[in-house]
Amino acid sequence: MSRLVLTIAVLAVIVIGGMVLLAGRTTERPQTHVEKAVALANLQ
């Protein structure tokens, strides 16, 4: 193999591995409900 093909193959493996690693991470957080008191004068 030429050096260019080997370099491209190594970069492709690194990029694909990074994509798999990031896709496997769970970043979802449960939503929290926040209630605020609103003055009645602001509702008009």
Side-chain angles (χ1 to χ4, degrees), residues 5-41:
V5 174
L6 186 61
T7 303
I8 292 174
V10 169
L11 288 175
V13 168
I14 291 172
V15 169
I16 292 172
M19 290 172 64
V20 169
L21 180 69
L22 290 175
R25 293 176 58 187
T26 55
T27 58
E28 296 180 10
R29 295 181 182 167
Q31 294 182 353
T32 57
H33 186 72
V34 178
E35 293 185 14
K36 288 186 174 182
V38 177
L40 293 177

